[in-house]
Amino acid sequence: MSSPLNQIQAPIAAEMQEFEKKFRQSMQSNVLLLDKIMGYIVKRKGKQMRPMFVFFTAKLLQENITDATYRGAALIELLHTATLVHDDVVDDANYRRGFFSVNALWKNKIAVLVGDYLLSKGLLLSLNNNDFDLLKIVSNAVREMSEGELLQMEKARRLDIDESVYFDIIRQKTASLIASCCAVGVSSVGADAETVERARLFGEKVGIAFQIKDDLFDYGTAEIGKPVGIDIKEKKMTLPLIYALQQADWLTKRRIIYNVKNNNGKADRINTVIDFVKNSGGLNYAIQVMNAYHQEALQLLHTFPASPSRDSLEQLIRYTIEREK
């Protein structure tokens, strides 16, 4: 039986197949080691939601997509893959989506150079085809992702993240990438600046809802591929916890923050935080906020003409907040 994502992808199955070929070509190298690593990266691809957003948003404006749309999708995948390879080095992570990370198999030095190579391939793909508008959109997203990651690191030391800072972080770290997919999609078929911004904002709302859903998984709302409590273990302040702390008295707040700061991976301390968040209404609040962003995304989507692609995007954003992993 096909997964919900495969069903949503069905109307652009031919485009996705063509994209696979073009993406693999865009990564090719004459250096045998690099080509071997590129082959490994392609094999362990994830859900491929990013190219889906690019193709569906392009088709909001015209049914037949152009070579520029394929290049835009490839650019996003190249630059995003580069950031993931570098992230795994920074985090000293040995796994990515259930596969060994590049740094686990080929060590940090090679992984950093592979990330640099992917970055340069993406830049050249755009420059060689004069896709300056697409390059500007995606380069801005990569800058925002880096800033968001550094902002989170800076704030994590003191755990002084309030809701406004939290939304700044996830807007930059997660939402900026989905926003750039949607902006690239419409820009690749000649949209004007107002339409590009509308599509970008739509993607940003979807990205924020997507990240809140991810935060909820940490509290055991569904079985997914990461252990419950991993955000707490890593001292990450997410929306359910931030809200729960806002409702707490001074003494309770101090006790919970102490447990987060000094959990040392101990299950009892992590479970204390999880129970506190659940009992303080943190999960219900996060679900309400996620649904509000979902509705705002739908309103923006409905400013585009009705079409099969618009229907598919509705299904895709519903999937992002109803997914079980």
Side-chain angles (χ1 to χ4, degrees), residues 77-111:
E77 285 294 90
L78 284 164
L79 267 58
H80 179 56
T81 306
T83 64
L84 293 183
V85 171
H86 284 161
D87 281 352
D88 287 340
V89 174
V90 171
D91 297 338
D92 202 19
N94 288 323
Y95 295 94
R96 166 78 57 181
R97 300 191 194 106
F99 291 89
F100 281 115
S101 60
V102 173
N103 52 296
L105 291 174
W106 288 280
K107 305 305 174 193
N108 285 352
K109 200 177 286 187
I110 288 174

mmCIF file of all heavy atoms in Angstrom, residues 77-111:
data_model
loop_
_atom_site.group_PDB
_atom_site.id
_atom_site.type_symbol
_atom_site.label_atom_id
_atom_site.label_comp_id
_atom_site.label_asym_id
_atom_site.label_seq_id
_atom_site.Cartn_x
_atom_site.Cartn_y
_atom_site.Cartn_z
ATOM 1 N N GLU A 77 18.075 21.415 -3.062
ATOM 2 C CA GLU A 77 18.547 20.124 -2.537
ATOM 3 C C GLU A 77 20.064 20.113 -2.341
ATOM 4 O O GLU A 77 20.567 19.575 -1.358
ATOM 5 C CB GLU A 77 18.128 18.980 -3.462
ATOM 6 C CG GLU A 77 16.651 18.625 -3.368
ATOM 7 C CD GLU A 77 16.266 18.059 -2.006
ATOM 8 O OE1 GLU A 77 15.902 18.851 -1.115
ATOM 9 O OE2 GLU A 77 16.325 16.835 -1.827
ATOM 10 N N LEU A 78 20.799 20.716 -3.280
ATOM 11 C CA LEU A 78 22.261 20.756 -3.164
ATOM 12 C C LEU A 78 22.698 21.565 -1.942
ATOM 13 O O LEU A 78 23.519 21.107 -1.141
ATOM 14 C CB LEU A 78 22.886 21.358 -4.431
ATOM 15 C CG LEU A 78 22.927 20.449 -5.666
ATOM 16 C CD1 LEU A 78 23.191 21.251 -6.925
ATOM 17 C CD2 LEU A 78 23.991 19.360 -5.505
ATOM 18 N N LEU A 79 22.126 22.772 -1.811
ATOM 19 C CA LEU A 79 22.527 23.624 -0.690
ATOM 20 C C LEU A 79 22.044 23.063 0.648
ATOM 21 O O LEU A 79 22.763 23.127 1.646
ATOM 22 C CB LEU A 79 22.023 25.061 -0.907
ATOM 23 C CG LEU A 79 23.031 25.989 -1.596
ATOM 24 C CD1 LEU A 79 23.447 25.455 -2.955
ATOM 25 C CD2 LEU A 79 22.486 27.405 -1.751
ATOM 26 N N HIS A 80 20.834 22.492 0.647
ATOM 27 C CA HIS A 80 20.327 21.901 1.891
ATOM 28 C C HIS A 80 21.151 20.681 2.292
ATOM 29 O O HIS A 80 21.490 20.511 3.470
ATOM 30 C CB HIS A 80 18.860 21.508 1.718
ATOM 31 C CG HIS A 80 18.284 20.872 2.935
ATOM 32 N ND1 HIS A 80 18.298 21.477 4.187
ATOM 33 C CD2 HIS A 80 17.681 19.671 3.137
ATOM 34 C CE1 HIS A 80 17.725 20.687 5.077
ATOM 35 N NE2 HIS A 80 17.357 19.590 4.469
ATOM 36 N N THR A 81 21.501 19.843 1.313
ATOM 37 C CA THR A 81 22.316 18.658 1.609
ATOM 38 C C THR A 81 23.679 19.080 2.152
ATOM 39 O O THR A 81 24.210 18.457 3.078
ATOM 40 C CB THR A 81 22.478 17.775 0.342
ATOM 41 O OG1 THR A 81 21.182 17.477 -0.187
ATOM 42 C CG2 THR A 81 23.171 16.461 0.681
ATOM 43 N N ALA A 82 24.237 20.161 1.593
ATOM 44 C CA ALA A 82 25.518 20.678 2.090
ATOM 45 C C ALA A 82 25.411 21.062 3.563
ATOM 46 O O ALA A 82 26.287 20.739 4.369
ATOM 47 C CB ALA A 82 25.946 21.896 1.265
ATOM 48 N N THR A 83 24.301 21.733 3.928
ATOM 49 C CA THR A 83 24.137 22.147 5.332
ATOM 50 C C THR A 83 23.964 20.929 6.243
ATOM 51 O O THR A 83 24.460 20.931 7.375
ATOM 52 C CB THR A 83 22.936 23.104 5.521
ATOM 53 O OG1 THR A 83 21.718 22.429 5.197
ATOM 54 C CG2 THR A 83 23.084 24.355 4.666
ATOM 55 N N LEU A 84 23.279 19.883 5.759
ATOM 56 C CA LEU A 84 23.092 18.673 6.577
ATOM 57 C C LEU A 84 24.421 17.957 6.819
ATOM 58 O O LEU A 84 24.685 17.488 7.929
ATOM 59 C CB LEU A 84 22.111 17.704 5.897
ATOM 60 C CG LEU A 84 20.657 18.148 5.774
ATOM 61 C CD1 LEU A 84 19.817 17.041 5.142
ATOM 62 C CD2 LEU A 84 20.064 18.528 7.127
ATOM 63 N N VAL A 85 25.241 17.877 5.771
ATOM 64 C CA VAL A 85 26.557 17.231 5.908
ATOM 65 C C VAL A 85 27.403 17.990 6.931
ATOM 66 O O VAL A 85 28.043 17.386 7.798
ATOM 67 C CB VAL A 85 27.278 17.151 4.534
ATOM 68 C CG1 VAL A 85 28.721 16.683 4.703
ATOM 69 C CG2 VAL A 85 26.531 16.196 3.597
ATOM 70 N N HIS A 86 27.373 19.322 6.850
ATOM 71 C CA HIS A 86 28.117 20.133 7.807
ATOM 72 C C HIS A 86 27.517 20.039 9.217
ATOM 73 O O HIS A 86 28.258 19.989 10.209
ATOM 74 C CB HIS A 86 28.163 21.597 7.347
ATOM 75 C CG HIS A 86 29.122 21.840 6.226
ATOM 76 N ND1 HIS A 86 29.074 22.952 5.411
ATOM 77 C CD2 HIS A 86 30.179 21.107 5.776
ATOM 78 C CE1 HIS A 86 30.063 22.894 4.516
ATOM 79 N NE2 HIS A 86 30.737 21.788 4.719
ATOM 80 N N ASP A 87 26.178 19.992 9.303
ATOM 81 C CA ASP A 87 25.507 19.849 10.613
ATOM 82 C C ASP A 87 25.952 18.579 11.327
ATOM 83 O O ASP A 87 26.173 18.580 12.541
ATOM 84 C CB ASP A 87 23.982 19.806 10.453
ATOM 85 C CG ASP A 87 23.377 21.183 10.247
ATOM 86 O OD1 ASP A 87 24.119 22.174 10.374
ATOM 87 O OD2 ASP A 87 22.174 21.263 9.946
ATOM 88 N N ASP A 88 26.060 17.495 10.570
ATOM 89 C CA ASP A 88 26.456 16.215 11.177
ATOM 90 C C ASP A 88 27.875 16.281 11.734
ATOM 91 O O ASP A 88 28.185 15.636 12.734
ATOM 92 C CB ASP A 88 26.336 15.072 10.155
ATOM 93 C CG ASP A 88 24.880 14.702 9.867
ATOM 94 O OD1 ASP A 88 24.021 15.036 10.698
ATOM 95 O OD2 ASP A 88 24.612 14.091 8.818
ATOM 96 N N VAL A 89 28.720 17.060 11.081
ATOM 97 C CA VAL A 89 30.087 17.259 11.604
ATOM 98 C C VAL A 89 30.021 18.066 12.902
ATOM 99 O O VAL A 89 30.634 17.710 13.906
ATOM 100 C CB VAL A 89 30.982 17.974 10.559
ATOM 101 C CG1 VAL A 89 32.350 18.302 11.160
ATOM 102 C CG2 VAL A 89 31.150 17.103 9.309
ATOM 103 N N VAL A 90 29.260 19.173 12.873
ATOM 104 C CA VAL A 90 29.120 20.039 14.051
ATOM 105 C C VAL A 90 28.556 19.256 15.241
ATOM 106 O O VAL A 90 29.023 19.382 16.370
ATOM 107 C CB VAL A 90 28.212 21.258 13.723
ATOM 108 C CG1 VAL A 90 27.868 22.043 14.985
ATOM 109 C CG2 VAL A 90 28.895 22.171 12.702
ATOM 110 N N ASP A 91 27.529 18.441 14.953
ATOM 111 C CA ASP A 91 26.851 17.692 16.030
ATOM 112 C C ASP A 91 27.559 16.390 16.386
ATOM 113 O O ASP A 91 27.116 15.686 17.298
ATOM 114 C CB ASP A 91 25.413 17.361 15.613
ATOM 115 C CG ASP A 91 24.570 18.607 15.396
ATOM 116 O OD1 ASP A 91 24.951 19.657 15.952
ATOM 117 O OD2 ASP A 91 23.563 18.536 14.673
ATOM 118 N N ASP A 92 28.620 16.062 15.628
ATOM 119 C CA ASP A 92 29.308 14.787 15.810
ATOM 120 C C ASP A 92 28.316 13.618 15.711
ATOM 121 O O ASP A 92 28.346 12.670 16.495
ATOM 122 C CB ASP A 92 30.034 14.766 17.171
ATOM 123 C CG ASP A 92 31.173 13.745 17.191
ATOM 124 O OD1 ASP A 92 31.611 13.343 16.088
ATOM 125 O OD2 ASP A 92 31.583 13.332 18.292
ATOM 126 N N ALA A 93 27.400 13.731 14.739
ATOM 127 C CA ALA A 93 26.330 12.737 14.573
ATOM 128 C C ALA A 93 26.787 11.608 13.651
ATOM 129 O O ALA A 93 27.389 11.856 12.604
ATOM 130 C CB ALA A 93 25.094 13.407 13.981
ATOM 131 N N ASN A 94 26.491 10.390 14.053
ATOM 132 C CA ASN A 94 26.891 9.230 13.248
ATOM 133 C C ASN A 94 25.786 8.729 12.331
ATOM 134 O O ASN A 94 26.034 7.877 11.474
ATOM 135 C CB ASN A 94 27.341 8.093 14.153
ATOM 136 C CG ASN A 94 28.682 8.405 14.791
ATOM 137 O OD1 ASN A 94 29.545 9.007 14.168
ATOM 138 N ND2 ASN A 94 28.857 8.018 16.051
ATOM 139 N N TYR A 95 24.566 9.227 12.549
ATOM 140 C CA TYR A 95 23.446 8.744 11.734
ATOM 141 C C TYR A 95 22.628 9.903 11.197
ATOM 142 O O TYR A 95 22.503 10.948 11.834
ATOM 143 C CB TYR A 95 22.517 7.836 12.566
ATOM 144 C CG TYR A 95 23.176 6.555 13.006
ATOM 145 C CD1 TYR A 95 23.780 6.464 14.258
ATOM 146 C CD2 TYR A 95 23.209 5.443 12.173
ATOM 147 C CE1 TYR A 95 24.405 5.300 14.664
ATOM 148 C CE2 TYR A 95 23.829 4.271 12.564
ATOM 149 C CZ TYR A 95 24.422 4.197 13.807
ATOM 150 O OH TYR A 95 25.042 3.054 14.203
ATOM 151 N N ARG A 96 22.042 9.697 10.026
ATOM 152 C CA ARG A 96 21.119 10.655 9.423
ATOM 153 C C ARG A 96 20.051 9.838 8.720
ATOM 154 O O ARG A 96 20.340 9.065 7.822
ATOM 155 C CB ARG A 96 21.872 11.557 8.445
ATOM 156 C CG ARG A 96 21.046 12.372 7.499
ATOM 157 C CD ARG A 96 20.413 13.591 8.082
ATOM 158 N NE ARG A 96 21.325 14.539 8.697
ATOM 159 C CZ ARG A 96 20.902 15.664 9.277
ATOM 160 N NH1 ARG A 96 19.617 15.950 9.341
ATOM 161 N NH2 ARG A 96 21.769 16.504 9.830
ATOM 162 N N ARG A 97 18.781 9.963 9.188
ATOM 163 C CA ARG A 97 17.646 9.198 8.642
ATOM 164 C C ARG A 97 17.905 7.691 8.648
ATOM 165 O O ARG A 97 17.580 6.979 7.694
ATOM 166 C CB ARG A 97 17.312 9.633 7.210
ATOM 167 C CG ARG A 97 16.917 11.082 7.032
ATOM 168 C CD ARG A 97 16.354 11.292 5.626
ATOM 169 N NE ARG A 97 16.265 12.706 5.303
ATOM 170 C CZ ARG A 97 17.084 13.327 4.462
ATOM 171 N NH1 ARG A 97 18.048 12.659 3.862
ATOM 172 N NH2 ARG A 97 16.932 14.610 4.224
ATOM 173 N N GLY A 98 18.529 7.201 9.711
ATOM 174 C CA GLY A 98 18.742 5.761 9.833
ATOM 175 C C GLY A 98 19.943 5.232 9.068
ATOM 176 O O GLY A 98 20.241 4.044 9.129
ATOM 177 N N PHE A 99 20.639 6.103 8.325
ATOM 178 C CA PHE A 99 21.855 5.711 7.600
ATOM 179 C C PHE A 99 23.067 6.312 8.318
ATOM 180 O O PHE A 99 22.938 7.324 9.013
ATOM 181 C CB PHE A 99 21.837 6.240 6.159
ATOM 182 C CG PHE A 99 20.818 5.594 5.269
ATOM 183 C CD1 PHE A 99 19.526 6.102 5.172
ATOM 184 C CD2 PHE A 99 21.155 4.490 4.501
ATOM 185 C CE1 PHE A 99 18.586 5.514 4.345
ATOM 186 C CE2 PHE A 99 20.224 3.894 3.665
ATOM 187 C CZ PHE A 99 18.940 4.404 3.586
ATOM 188 N N PHE A 100 24.222 5.719 8.096
ATOM 189 C CA PHE A 100 25.447 6.343 8.593
ATOM 190 C C PHE A 100 25.619 7.715 7.934
ATOM 191 O O PHE A 100 25.356 7.868 6.738
ATOM 192 C CB PHE A 100 26.677 5.477 8.277
ATOM 193 C CG PHE A 100 26.845 4.311 9.207
ATOM 194 C CD1 PHE A 100 26.739 3.011 8.736
ATOM 195 C CD2 PHE A 100 27.123 4.516 10.553
ATOM 196 C CE1 PHE A 100 26.901 1.930 9.591
ATOM 197 C CE2 PHE A 100 27.283 3.445 11.416
ATOM 198 C CZ PHE A 100 27.168 2.145 10.941
ATOM 199 N N SER A 101 26.050 8.701 8.711
ATOM 200 C CA SER A 101 26.329 10.031 8.152
ATOM 201 C C SER A 101 27.629 9.975 7.349
ATOM 202 O O SER A 101 28.418 9.034 7.481
ATOM 203 C CB SER A 101 26.447 11.059 9.285
ATOM 204 O OG SER A 101 27.500 10.683 10.162
ATOM 205 N N VAL A 102 27.834 11.000 6.519
ATOM 206 C CA VAL A 102 29.054 11.054 5.700
ATOM 207 C C VAL A 102 30.293 11.092 6.600
ATOM 208 O O VAL A 102 31.285 10.393 6.346
ATOM 209 C CB VAL A 102 29.028 12.279 4.751
ATOM 210 C CG1 VAL A 102 30.358 12.441 4.027
ATOM 211 C CG2 VAL A 102 27.891 12.142 3.733
ATOM 212 N N ASN A 103 30.231 11.876 7.681
ATOM 213 C CA ASN A 103 31.397 11.981 8.573
ATOM 214 C C ASN A 103 31.668 10.680 9.332
ATOM 215 O O ASN A 103 32.807 10.385 9.692
ATOM 216 C CB ASN A 103 31.242 13.146 9.563
ATOM 217 C CG ASN A 103 29.933 13.117 10.315
ATOM 218 O OD1 ASN A 103 28.876 13.245 9.701
ATOM 219 N ND2 ASN A 103 29.969 12.946 11.623
ATOM 220 N N ALA A 104 30.623 9.876 9.556
ATOM 221 C CA ALA A 104 30.818 8.588 10.240
ATOM 222 C C ALA A 104 31.569 7.613 9.335
ATOM 223 O O ALA A 104 32.389 6.820 9.806
ATOM 224 C CB ALA A 104 29.476 7.991 10.651
ATOM 225 N N LEU A 105 31.306 7.683 8.033
ATOM 226 C CA LEU A 105 31.928 6.744 7.088
ATOM 227 C C LEU A 105 33.271 7.242 6.552
ATOM 228 O O LEU A 105 34.186 6.458 6.318
ATOM 229 C CB LEU A 105 30.981 6.476 5.915
ATOM 230 C CG LEU A 105 29.713 5.680 6.230
ATOM 231 C CD1 LEU A 105 28.816 5.616 5.003
ATOM 232 C CD2 LEU A 105 30.047 4.264 6.695
ATOM 233 N N TRP A 106 33.375 8.568 6.338
ATOM 234 C CA TRP A 106 34.580 9.087 5.694
ATOM 235 C C TRP A 106 35.346 10.125 6.540
ATOM 236 O O TRP A 106 36.242 10.781 6.040
ATOM 237 C CB TRP A 106 34.235 9.697 4.334
ATOM 238 C CG TRP A 106 33.895 8.672 3.299
ATOM 239 C CD1 TRP A 106 34.774 7.920 2.571
ATOM 240 C CD2 TRP A 106 32.583 8.291 2.858
ATOM 241 N NE1 TRP A 106 34.094 7.090 1.713
ATOM 242 C CE2 TRP A 106 32.739 7.292 1.859
ATOM 243 C CE3 TRP A 106 31.288 8.665 3.194
ATOM 244 C CZ2 TRP A 106 31.669 6.695 1.207
ATOM 245 C CZ3 TRP A 106 30.220 8.072 2.552
ATOM 246 C CH2 TRP A 106 30.413 7.100 1.573
ATOM 247 N N LYS A 107 34.919 10.311 7.777
ATOM 248 C CA LYS A 107 35.568 11.223 8.730
ATOM 249 C C LYS A 107 35.275 12.701 8.433
ATOM 250 O O LYS A 107 34.873 13.071 7.338
ATOM 251 C CB LYS A 107 37.105 10.998 8.795
ATOM 252 C CG LYS A 107 37.500 9.557 9.118
ATOM 253 C CD LYS A 107 36.860 9.072 10.412
ATOM 254 C CE LYS A 107 37.135 7.598 10.631
ATOM 255 N NZ LYS A 107 36.310 6.996 11.678
ATOM 256 N N ASN A 108 35.525 13.532 9.452
ATOM 257 C CA ASN A 108 35.110 14.940 9.413
ATOM 258 C C ASN A 108 35.744 15.743 8.281
ATOM 259 O O ASN A 108 35.078 16.552 7.628
ATOM 260 C CB ASN A 108 35.441 15.627 10.751
ATOM 261 C CG ASN A 108 34.482 15.222 11.850
ATOM 262 O OD1 ASN A 108 33.485 14.542 11.594
ATOM 263 N ND2 ASN A 108 34.774 15.624 13.064
ATOM 264 N N LYS A 109 37.037 15.544 8.059
ATOM 265 C CA LYS A 109 37.742 16.353 7.067
ATOM 266 C C LYS A 109 37.105 16.194 5.691
ATOM 267 O O LYS A 109 36.857 17.179 4.986
ATOM 268 C CB LYS A 109 39.223 15.928 7.033
ATOM 269 C CG LYS A 109 40.147 16.976 6.418
ATOM 270 C CD LYS A 109 41.605 16.532 6.477
ATOM 271 C CE LYS A 109 42.181 16.629 7.878
ATOM 272 N NZ LYS A 109 43.643 16.361 7.881
ATOM 273 N N ILE A 110 36.831 14.948 5.316
ATOM 274 C CA ILE A 110 36.221 14.686 4.009
ATOM 275 C C ILE A 110 34.786 15.218 3.980
ATOM 276 O O ILE A 110 34.355 15.808 2.985
ATOM 277 C CB ILE A 110 36.264 13.168 3.684
ATOM 278 C CG1 ILE A 110 37.709 12.771 3.364
ATOM 279 C CG2 ILE A 110 35.330 12.817 2.525
ATOM 280 C CD1 ILE A 110 37.935 11.286 3.158
ATOM 281 N N ALA A 111 34.041 15.039 5.092
ATOM 282 C CA ALA A 111 32.644 15.505 5.149
ATOM 283 C C ALA A 111 32.556 17.017 4.942
ATOM 284 O O ALA A 111 31.686 17.502 4.212
ATOM 285 C CB ALA A 111 32.011 15.108 6.484
#
